[in-house]
Amino acid sequence: MGWWKSERQPCRKAVTPTLTEPVVEPSSRATAERVARESYGKLVAILAKRDGDIAAAEDALADAFSKALTTWPEKGVPASPEGWLLTVAKNKQTDRMRSAEHRLARSLGEDEDMIPDPKPSAPETGAPDFPDERLKLMFVCAHPAIDKSVHTPLMMQTVLGFEAGEIAQAYLQQPATLSQRLVRAKRKIKDARIPFVLPDELEIEGRIEPVMEAVYGVMSLLPTVPASNGLDNDMAAEALYLAGLLADRMPSNAEALGLVSLICLSLSRRPARLDARGYFVPLHLQDVGRWDVDLIRRGVRALNDAARLRAPGRFQIEAAIQAAHAERLENGETNWHAIVQLYDALLSYGRSMGAVCAMASALLHAHGPEPTLHLLSTLEAETDPRLVGSFHPFWAVRAAAYKANHDVPQAKAAFEKAISLATETPVRLWLAQELADCDGGAPV
């Protein structure tokens, strides 16, 4: 875990703690945490552009964070923490570039902008005008020379700062295997000297899909319930910002607009996911008065703009599902039949466990437990039992379907399984209440 990572929180990689990590003044650590959340990907992108070595850029930035933890408590937090970190990390890079080992490894005729600065710079004290290089780095990660299966995970690690274990869990992969593939991909970028530039319009079209997948992947790795420390809110805001950059860069790309819509509509309901007791509240039971109306309006507007381009896609369909839920704000009802039809269209783009379980939940509301249980049984039959056995949404929806079918023993068993897999306390509390309701009692 990163040194500033809260339990179960997706986070920025910053610096791994050691046994000799210094005691740090709370305000200094808080500033370092904020910078890690807000600027990690931007700083890595700037550093990696110097010589194309992403892994070395990450190491240099980690060293800079370590130095900040020892320097800032003594000398004070600089006026521009980001500038200070960038300068220290660049100096670290320069030291590496000058080393005998690096000189031997450098090829003849190296580009001028890859040659290190003649002397180390003093850390920045003012606020520099940072270029936002993250989109360039994301398109580098989606280069055709890189294995397609690692495009999105590579972006989520290097640009968005998630750890390999978190990404592997979200994409149902083995962490060790994914880590090795990420290391190989970074080495490939350096060895192939892939340029850190935005590709032309034709190349962008060929790389845009994994870039959008990575941006939306942030939403998949956010906790179900917003954390009080605000870390996940920062991550969500960054996902929306990057989606907006893509849409601005490609105004005629309907899926880029669909992604903006999807993120807006998904985020609009996060404030309503907890009740006064601290229990999770499912979407169909949320208090619409707590939804963010401005985000809903922005999401609907982006979806309408996408529809006018007449190029339907997966992100637009997912956004349409969220927009259908948002209609409850206006008329007080949810059109579950329309949502089922939209999920049916979504599955035509590919069957993921998450999408099938979401459709099963909609089926339960629209048509009752029998078709829901049939769909879940089909999913179970066609999926690796180990994946089904560890996938919390599958058991939560199955439990709800058995409960609606008045099959108390099966419902209780499924609720118990779902509780064992839930990682967030508010979700466990809600599931425990549902389990207790099977017997008409109060949760233990």
Side-chain angles (χ1 to χ4, degrees):
M1 299 176 78
W3 51 265
W4 62 275
K5 184 175 184 179
S6 303
E7 184 180 3
R8 302 303 302 172
Q9 286 292 317
C11 76
R12 298 288 179 187
K13 293 181 304 178
V15 56
T16 304
T18 65
L19 295 177
T20 57
E21 182 180 315
V23 176
V24 181
E25 180 186 340
S27 61
S28 300
R29 180 177 291 274
T31 301
E33 291 175 356
R34 178 187 61 77
V35 176
R37 292 197 305 270
E38 296 177 357
S39 302
Y40 178 85
K42 185 187 296 185
L43 294 175
V44 167
I46 294 171
L47 293 166
K49 186 179 179 180
R50 300 184 80 195
D51 63 355
D53 193 335
I54 295 174
E58 292 173 331
D59 290 342
L61 186 56
D63 286 342
F65 273 109
S66 290
K67 189 172 182 179
L69 291 180
T70 57
T71 303
W72 293 357
E74 178 183 347
K75 298 184 177 181
V77 176
S80 172
E82 294 87 352
W84 190 99
L85 289 164
L86 181 61
T87 304
V88 171
K90 279 186 174 181
N91 289 341
K92 182 70 176 180
Q93 281 183 313
T94 298
D95 291 342
R96 176 184 61 83
M97 291 175 176
R98 285 174 170 170
S99 69
E101 180 181 57
H102 184 72
R103 285 198 301 271
L104 290 172
R106 280 176 53 191
S107 60
L108 293 175
E110 191 164 9
D111 291 345
E112 184 75 20
D113 62 358
M114 291 186 180
I115 298 174
D117 299 331
K119 59 183 179 180
S121 304
E124 294 278 354
T125 56
D129 182 18
F130 280 128
D132 196 327
E133 302 284 354
R134 284 175 294 179
L135 280 187
K136 292 180 183 178
L137 180 52
M138 294 181 84
F139 280 104
V140 166
C141 294
H143 193 277
I146 307 299
D147 180 0
K148 286 184 179 181
S149 64
V150 82
H151 283 175
T152 293
L154 183 59
M155 282 178 257
M156 295 186 72
Q157 186 191 59
T158 60
V159 182
L160 300 169
F162 290 103
E163 296 179 356
E166 296 170 318
I167 303 168
Q169 184 178 16
Y171 287 88
L172 305 177
Q173 299 181 31
Q174 292 297 320
T177 302
L178 180 59
S179 294
Q180 293 172 357
R181 293 168 65 200
L182 291 171
V183 169
R184 287 196 296 269
K186 293 174 189 177
R187 188 181 301 125
K188 177 72 173 179
I189 290 171
K190 179 177 181 292
D191 293 344
R193 301 183 69 176
I194 297 172
F196 279 59
V197 296
L198 282 175
D200 60 33
E201 187 172 344
L202 184 60
E203 286 183 300
I204 283 182
E205 287 292 344
R207 301 191 210 176
I208 188 67
E209 184 174 347
V211 173
M212 291 192 293
E213 288 284 355
V215 173
Y216 188 61
V218 176
M219 306 301 296
S220 302
L221 287 173
L222 289 177
T224 304
V225 178
S228 58
N229 59 16
L231 297 186
D232 52 309
N233 291 332
D234 292 334
M235 297 295 290
E238 184 166 7
L240 183 54
Y241 170 73
L242 289 172
L245 284 183
L246 288 172
D248 290 343
R249 179 80 185 184
M250 305 183 68
S252 62
N253 187 297
E255 278 290 81
L257 289 165
L259 178 61
V260 171
S261 175
L262 176 56
I263 293 176
C264 285
L265 293 167
S266 298
L267 293 180
S268 70
R269 293 185 288 270
R270 287 185 70 78
R273 288 184 178 176
L274 276 183
D275 66 14
R277 304 170 299 168
Y279 285 42
F280 170 71
V281 182
L283 174 55
H284 68 284
L285 297 177
Q286 288 175 7
D287 177 3
V288 298
R290 299 180 63 191
W291 289 355
D292 188 322
V293 177
D294 290 338
L295 275 175
I296 291 174
R297 288 173 178 163
R298 180 180 173 185
V300 171
R301 186 165 58 248
L303 184 58
N304 290 336
D305 290 342
R308 281 191 284 271
L309 295 173
R310 299 185 180 277
R314 181 172 68 83
F315 286 122
Q316 293 170 75
I317 295 175
E318 290 196 50
I321 292 170
Q322 300 306 318
H325 281 291
E327 289 179 0
R328 184 159 67 90
L329 185 65
E330 301 294 332
N331 56 33
E333 296 181 354
T334 301
N335 188 341
W336 290 106
H337 290 83
I339 291 174
V340 168
Q341 291 179 330
L342 287 168
Y343 272 117
D344 191 51
L346 178 63
L347 293 179
S348 69
Y349 286 86
R351 289 172 65 85
S352 68
M353 288 183 63
V356 173
C357 289
M359 180 173 183
S361 179
L363 270 176
L364 180 60
H365 291 280
H367 301 293
E370 291 188 8
T372 302
L373 291 169
H374 176 73
L375 178 59
L376 292 175
S377 295
T378 301
L379 175 63
E380 186 175 28
E382 65 187 20
T383 307
D384 186 333
R386 292 172 297 180
L387 297 180
V388 173
S390 62
F391 195 59
H392 163 262
F394 175 89
W395 296 98
V397 177
R398 172 173 272 188
Y402 278 131
K403 182 178 179 181
N405 209 32
H406 308 293
D407 189 337
V408 174
Q410 292 275 29
K412 292 175 68 174
F415 274 125
E416 289 168 356
K417 178 69 173 178
I419 291 170
S420 73
L421 294 171
T423 59
E424 298 173 66
T425 298
V427 176
R428 287 197 296 268
L429 290 171
W430 165 64
L431 290 169
Q433 179 66 68
E434 293 295 301
L435 172 60
D437 287 345
C438 292
D439 290 329
V444 177

